[in-house]
Amino acid sequence: MHLKTEIDINAPIEIVWRNFFAFDTYPEWSPFIKRFVGTPKVGEKVTVTLQPPGGNGMDISPNVINVDAPREFRWKGKLFVKGIFDGEHVFRFEQTGDATTHFIHEEFFGGIFKGLIMAKIWDSTEQGFREYNEALKARAEAEYKEAAS
């Protein structure tokens, strides 16, 4: 199962990446990823608090599996034990012009309960991804506009 959202951001990739990677600021602006604690390095376990719209917040403890600045950040997590409900969360950044970035926010779901669980949380998770994307766009575009003036 694959959930994918995309958005174009009118700011250079470096500004978008910098705002994305400023995890300590997430409580101030991010409506979906409320908290990120840990070292964002490959092989490290981090703690992430997700808050889907209309849902309860939940802490997950995924492992960082890729950091390719300023192009991609990935983590992979599981519910209880591997194979029950697993997810690989991907954030990709593509420079599409001098001052534009295409942001892709997606997750690949696996495990024996993926269908059952996703049937219950698909809509709110997709909405959470979209709200996060919009908030990142607003933040990066505001920084770019301020720097240009």
Side-chain angles (χ1 to χ4, degrees):
M1 244 175 197
H2 178 220
L3 174 59
K4 182 178 182 182
T5 61
E6 303 176 65
I7 195 167
D8 289 318
I9 302 173
N10 296 313
I13 195 169
E14 294 81 9
I15 289 176
V16 178
W17 178 265
R18 181 172 49 249
N19 281 277
F20 166 79
F21 217 72
F23 298 119
D24 59 326
T25 67
Y26 275 36
E28 299 167 20
W29 64 269
S30 175
F32 179 66
I33 303 171
K34 301 304 281 184
R35 188 174 65 106
F36 183 103
V37 178
T39 305
K41 285 178 42 178
V42 173
E44 295 292 322
K45 185 176 287 270
V46 295
T47 300
V48 180
T49 302
L50 303 175
Q51 178 70 52
N56 295 323
M58 64 183 276
D59 286 335
I60 60 171
S61 296
N63 290 308
V64 175
I65 60 172
N66 192 37
V67 180
D68 180 16
R71 292 172 185 72
E72 184 179 87
F73 185 76
R74 285 181 186 246
W75 71 57
K76 190 167 190 171
K78 62 186 181 302
L79 183 63
F80 306 120
V81 295
K82 186 177 179 187
I84 300 293
F85 181 63
D86 307 321
E88 185 170 327
H89 209 117
V90 182
F91 306 89
R92 285 189 290 141
F93 306 78
E94 299 171 353
Q95 186 158 344
T96 54
D98 288 343
T100 56
T101 303
H102 186 69
F103 177 65
I104 301 163
H105 183 180
E106 60 191 329
E107 187 148 5
F108 298 89
F109 298 98
I112 59 174
F113 290 114
K114 72 178 178 222
L116 179 66
I117 293 171
M118 289 312 299
K120 294 179 187 246
I121 67 168
W122 183 275
D123 290 341
S124 65
T125 301
E126 182 177 30
Q127 183 181 349
F129 279 27
R130 291 189 189 287
E131 289 178 5
Y132 175 87
N133 299 354
E134 289 289 342
L136 178 62
K137 174 183 173 76
R139 189 168 176 87
E141 288 180 356
E143 179 184 328
Y144 182 58
K145 190 178 287 185
E146 183 177 309
S149 56

